[in-house]
Amino acid sequence: MANRQGRGAGSPLIRLITWNVRGLNGPVKRSRVFSHLKGLQADVAMLQETHLRVVDQVRLRRGWVGQVFHSGLDIKNRGVAILVGKRVSFVAAEVVADKEGRYVMVRGRLQGEK
């Protein structure tokens, strides 16, 4: 996370982005969304309405994405995801995902902090 220093001594900033993507099933749209997120230098991206089935969550793995937390259905409806970039030190302690694809909550250590 070069060139992004916080107010504290040496504390890096984490760039959080939330986006209602209104579906990621099309390969062109998915590519554009991930390209835009990469251009924004997203460290953590929280995506709503991914419309990806549980078996399709592998499509969320890209070069800059280190961890994926997803909640979806077996139909192309609803769906949310949290993508954590590889540059971010994050250790998940607990993940709670709604079976209806409405939310996913992750608790853990981000950059060594609870």
Side-chain angles (χ1 to χ4, degrees), residues 2-3 5 9 15 22 40 45-46 49 59 74 80 86 90 92 97 103:
N3 299 335
Q5 292 297 314
R15 187 165 295 197
R22 296 183 177 95
L40 292 172
M46 296 165 279
E49 291 189 37
R59 295 179 179 179
D74 288 333
V80 293
K86 289 181 179 177
F90 180 73
Y103 63 83

Side-chain angles (χ1 to χ4, degrees), residues 17 19 21 23-42 45 47 50 52 56-68 81-84:
I17 295 175
W19 189 356
V21 294
L24 288 176
N25 283 296
V28 173
K29 182 174 184 182
R30 193 169 47 250
S31 178
R32 287 182 179 169
V33 166
F34 277 91
S35 178
H36 190 65
L37 288 171
K38 186 176 180 181
L40 292 172
Q41 298 179 351
L47 307 178
T50 60
L52 293 174
D56 294 328
Q57 73 180 1
V58 69
R59 295 179 179 179
L60 298 173
R61 295 228 176 254
R62 293 295 168 115
W64 64 270
V65 178
Q67 297 178 64
V68 174
I82 300 174
L83 312 178
V84 181

Side-chain angles (χ1 to χ4, degrees), residues 50 57 69-73 79-81 97-104:
T50 60
Q57 73 180 1
F69 303 96
H70 179 257
S71 175
L73 297 169
V80 293
D98 177 36
K99 293 178 182 174
E100 298 294 320
R102 297 182 193 277
Y103 63 83
V104 61

